[in-house]
Amino acid sequence: MAETNHFQVTAQTFSGAHASDTQSVHSPQQTIVIKLGTSVLTGGTLQLDRAHMVELVRQCASLRKQGHKVILVTSGAIAAGREHLGYPELPKTMASKQLLAAVGQSRLIQEWERLFGIYGLHVGQMLLTRADLDDRERFLNARDMIVALLDNGIIPVVNENDAVATTEIKVGDNDNLSALVGILTSADKLLLLTDQPGLFTADPRRNPEAELIREVHTIDETLHKLAGGSVGGLGTGGMATKLQAADVARRAGIEVVIAAGSRPEVIADLVRGESVGTRFLPLESPLESRKRWILAGPPPAGDIVIDDGAAVAVQQRGSSLLSKGILTVKGEFERGEVTRIFNAQGVLLARGICRYSSRDIAKIAGKHSQEIHQVLGYEYGPVAIHRDDLVLI
């Protein structure tokens, strides 16, 4: 009973805070990750519910028209494959799931392409595994790709690469994958749409007195015990994985909401800040979280020495580090590794994630940003270290 009272208070807190959140909710150019579970896409049946899918697409298209950036993390490849093949009887093996995913993924992306095309929007498919996100270089490549899609008005449609993923390299469920995609894109919101209205104080299927938890400030053992398994058995994630995903995302400064994907206007209402589902408050801003990782994370892989002009720009104006201001590079490091930044007098100024390898930095040091492509034959952007990836010491 004490737990229920705690969550009732939490719900009241959410209601009272609603008005103060409105301005941040309506801020322009929010990046919103929307995760759609298999149960949402099938409506609990054995086939894709295309009527509901087009309704979800309509809401996404409305967000795009408002200036928001939308990323779709979609389940349903195995369900689409099973439907397309006429529901074959297959052995319960990894190979069978990979077979269905290989057949179904192409069907699923074609469906999304067709539905978004109704609203004049293009989609771009991204198939990821845990290995793509654990390796820093591949992480950056994935980030650059998804940012390029968003910058060009294309809807990224992300799924786990089930056709090739093994147990060792699988994220395992699209709830946690969506949290990682949110971190990848520095998203503002993560909407986990499922077959339940949110997280309850007890299992609502067994306890009629169970109450919806409106807002969560702390994810503790009590909350984990409340999270049950998948209801329909169609997907790989239940409420427990959604809680894991919410915990990961909120630690990166992302607001997370678990809500029913079947609810009319659910996406639009959540972005407007309506009291729908269970809302998880972010612990800190994405930028601070990232900078804390840079400061306390992996040891520096090398050093960059910069001139006095670059030192002033970085320290006093909060600028990114440009190749023009680099004097020398010490040590060997790859793109995406943490480096130390020193001034010409040998004083440590900052740490940052370098967008170029030490080999590349040695070639472009002292060069203007416009010359990078000419010198290297390619480029990863006009800055050596972006201000968002740089922490002053």
Side-chain angles (χ1 to χ4, degrees):
M1 189 65 184
E3 290 175 7
T4 303
N5 289 336
H6 164 72
F7 293 128
Q8 285 175 333
V9 172
T10 302
Q12 291 169 359
T13 302
F14 178 87
S15 177
H18 174 61
S20 64
D21 291 337
T22 305
Q23 186 171 353
S24 64
V25 167
H26 288 287
S27 61
Q29 289 286 306
Q30 284 195 91
T31 299
I32 303 164
V33 178
I34 302 170
K35 185 268 175 177
L36 302 172
T38 299
S39 60
V40 173
L41 299 181
T42 61
T45 68
L46 294 178
Q47 61 186 32
L48 297 177
D49 184 350
R50 290 161 178 81
H52 186 52
M53 287 173 69
V54 75
E55 169 58 20
L56 294 170
V57 167
R58 181 190 64 78
Q59 294 179 60
C60 291
S62 177
L63 293 185
R64 284 287 298 113
K65 186 176 289 187
Q66 295 170 37
H68 299 299
K69 295 179 179 179
V70 177
I71 303 156
L72 219 58
V73 177
T74 176
S75 301
I78 291 176
R82 188 177 284 116
E83 176 188 351
H84 183 64
L85 295 176
Y87 312 103
E89 290 290 334
L90 297 172
K92 297 183 184 301
T93 63
M94 174 67 77
S96 295
K97 289 184 177 181
Q98 290 175 323
L99 178 155
L100 293 172
V103 172
Q105 186 59 45
S106 62
R107 308 297 304 181
L108 186 62
I109 194 64
Q110 286 175 24
E111 204 64 61
W112 287 124
E113 187 175 35
R114 182 179 68 84
L115 296 178
F116 275 103
I118 296 172
Y119 297 92
L121 293 172
H122 296 289
V123 302
Q125 178 175 251
M126 290 190 69
L127 299 177
L128 299 173
T129 67
R130 168 73 71 175
D132 295 315
L133 301 173
D134 281 352
D135 180 84
R136 190 66 187 166
E137 175 94 15
R138 291 163 71 174
F139 177 95
L140 289 173
N141 288 337
R143 184 189 69 178
D144 289 349
M145 164 62 83
I146 204 166
V147 168
L149 291 172
L150 292 170
D151 287 347
N152 286 277
I154 298 169
I155 306 287
V157 177
V158 185
N159 198 356
E160 181 145 31
N161 197 351
D162 289 317
V164 301
T166 61
T167 302
E168 290 76 20
I169 64 171
K170 282 176 68 66
V171 175
D173 61 87
N174 277 347
D175 294 319
N176 280 293
L177 179 63
S178 65
L180 295 175
V181 169
I183 295 171
L184 194 73
T185 56
S186 299
D188 299 287
K189 291 183 185 296
L190 168 59
L191 312 182
L192 298 173
L193 301 187
T194 182
D195 52 9
Q196 294 292 303
L199 186 63
F200 285 81
T201 55
D203 189 340
R205 294 164 290 172
R206 298 187 179 93
N207 186 347
E209 295 184 1
E211 295 184 31
L212 179 65
I213 302 169
R214 293 289 181 182
E215 187 169 280
V216 173
H217 296 263
T218 304
I219 296 180
D220 54 17
E221 195 59 36
T222 301
L223 210 58
H224 279 290
K225 288 179 180 177
L226 294 176
S230 178
V231 176
L234 295 169
T236 56
M239 197 58 73
T241 64
K242 288 167 182 58
L243 205 57
Q244 292 171 3
D247 200 20
V248 170
R250 76 192 189 103
R251 290 180 186 277
I254 302 170
E255 179 185 313
V256 183
V257 185
I258 300 174
S262 60
R263 185 184 186 278
E265 300 293 333
V266 62
I267 295 174
D269 286 347
L270 288 174
V271 174
R272 278 197 298 265
E274 299 288 336
S275 177
V276 177
T278 301
R279 178 185 180 216
F280 297 80
L281 299 180
L283 293 186
E284 52 190 333
S285 72
L287 188 58
E288 285 307 308
S289 174
R290 182 170 180 77
K291 290 195 173 184
R292 288 185 185 185
W293 179 86
I294 294 170
L295 193 60
D303 300 334
I304 293 175
V305 181
I306 62 177
D307 63 27
D308 292 342
V312 170
V314 167
Q315 284 189 293
Q316 299 181 18
R317 297 202 293 270
S319 301
S320 298
L321 176 60
L322 304 179
S323 54
K324 176 66 177 173
I326 297 175
L327 295 174
T328 59
V329 59
K330 299 177 181 179
E332 295 184 4
F333 53 85
E334 298 300 322
R335 176 177 181 248
E337 291 196 279
V338 174
T339 60
R340 294 183 297 184
I341 297 96
F342 291 84
N343 65 14
Q345 291 73 43
V347 178
L348 178 62
L349 304 180
R351 288 172 61 146
I353 298 174
C354 197
R355 296 196 170 187
Y356 292 87
S357 69
S358 56
R359 298 179 298 279
D360 290 343
I361 291 293
K363 294 175 183 176
I364 63 176
K367 306 288 185 183
H368 287 286
S369 299
Q370 302 94 303
E371 299 178 84
I372 293 177
H373 191 280
Q374 179 182 347
V375 172
L376 299 179
Y378 54 87
E379 67 171 90
Y380 297 117
V383 302
I385 300 178
H386 194 276
R387 58 185 298 174
D388 290 349
D389 296 333
L390 191 147
V391 183
L392 296 177
I393 302 300

